[in-house]
């Protein structure tokens, strides 16, 4: 798949949005990729994750025995990546503000893991998920995501493979361009509301 073909999948799902968005990092952006919409079609989700799996190195294919993703946004994409790789899928969640494995999920000491996200912007949540995986005994050897919004600049601490890498501008809330400041901000996702 080319980058344009990947973006066409997002457009077809009405998942490529323009406006004023508050990202989970707190930064603001004029563009948002709503992965939940692109992943709501199981055939599309399987197609995109199979394409991403084909881009992983042979060492990742041969080494990982589990895919672990952060809840909530990474659960579907993590499951589909695990299906593409033929390994188990698990997720970490934040019941008290810090990622941890729950629900009976466990990792063997040193078990090689692929950490899978839907979107990476700063890499902070990826690094937090990786820390939780390693505290649970896993060894994260690589990470994957559908969209790297950082233009390849995000450092997650392990090699990161993205289906598409975009340079999407982000701004601190107190340093918005006039065009963005003139539009009401919304926080997309599970807690969408005006800001």
């Amino acid at each position: 798949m080319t980058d344009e073909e990947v973006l066409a999948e997002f457009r077809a799902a009405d998942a490529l949005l323009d406006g004023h968005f508050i990202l989970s990092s707190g930064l603001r952006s004029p563009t948002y990729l709503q992965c939940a919409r692109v992943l709501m079609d199981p055939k599309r989700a399987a197609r995109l994750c199979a394409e991403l799996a084909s881009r992983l190195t042979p060492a990742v294919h041969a080494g990982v025995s589990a895919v672990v993703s952060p809840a909530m946004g990474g659960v579907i994409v993590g499951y589909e990546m695990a299906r593409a790789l033929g390994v188990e899928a698990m997720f970490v969640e934040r019941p008290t503000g810090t990622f941890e494995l729950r629900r009976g999920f466990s990792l063997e000491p040193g078990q090689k893991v692929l950490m899978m996200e839907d979107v990476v912007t700063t890499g902070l949540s990826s690094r937090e998920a990786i820390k939780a995986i390693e505290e649970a005994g896993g060894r994260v050897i690589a990470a994957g995501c559908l969209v790297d919004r950082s233009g390849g600049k995000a450092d997650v601490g392990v090699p990161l493979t993205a289906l598409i890498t975009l340079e999407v501008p982000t701004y601190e809330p107190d340093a918005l361009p006039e065009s963005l400041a003139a539009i009401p901000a919304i926080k997309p996702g599970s807690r969408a509301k005006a800001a």
Side-chain angles (χ1 to χ4, degrees):
M1 283 183 144
T2 66
D3 285 356
E4 193 50 48
E5 289 170 328
V6 172
L7 288 175
E9 296 276 9
F10 276 81
R11 286 186 190 101
D14 292 326
L16 184 58
L17 310 175
D18 294 312
H20 180 178
F21 303 100
I22 303 170
L23 306 177
S24 61
S25 64
L27 297 174
R28 306 296 180 89
S29 179
T31 304
Y32 188 78
L33 292 113
Q34 181 56 276
C35 283
R37 287 205 44 91
V38 83
L39 295 170
M40 66 190 258
D41 176 345
K43 290 179 182 174
R44 179 179 284 126
R47 187 169 52 249
L48 293 174
C49 288
E51 174 66 24
L52 180 56
S54 76
R55 298 180 186 191
L56 297 172
T57 67
V60 172
H61 278 272
V64 300
S65 59
V67 173
V68 180
S69 55
M72 190 63 212
V75 173
I76 295 171
V77 73
Y79 180 85
E80 285 298 335
M81 181 56 71
R83 181 201 311 255
L85 295 174
V87 300
E88 294 182 327
M90 299 176 223
F91 56 88
V92 292
E93 54 192 312
R94 291 181 168 134
T96 60
T98 304
F99 278 130
E100 59 184 86
L101 276 179
R102 300 181 61 193
R103 302 177 192 264
F105 294 143
S106 64
L107 296 165
E108 297 295 323
Q111 184 175 354
K112 293 179 182 175
V113 172
L114 172 74
M115 192 286 303
M116 185 68 194
E117 285 261 34
D118 54 353
V119 178
V120 170
T121 300
T122 65
L124 177 61
S125 67
S126 297
R127 290 188 303 273
E128 290 173 349
I130 289 168
K131 180 180 178 197
I133 294 164
E134 292 177 345
E135 286 174 352
R139 184 173 148 234
V140 179
I141 63 169
C145 64
L146 290 183
V147 181
D148 176 357
R149 289 176 42 104
S150 78
K153 297 176 190 144
D155 178 9
V156 302
V158 296
L160 174 66
T161 302
L163 186 58
I164 188 166
T165 299
L166 302 170
E167 185 82 39
V168 178
T170 57
Y171 306 95
E172 293 291 339
D174 59 355
L176 298 175
E178 285 183 32
S179 60
L180 201 57
I183 304 169
I186 61 169
K187 185 169 186 169
S190 62
R191 294 176 284 212
K193 62 180 181 180

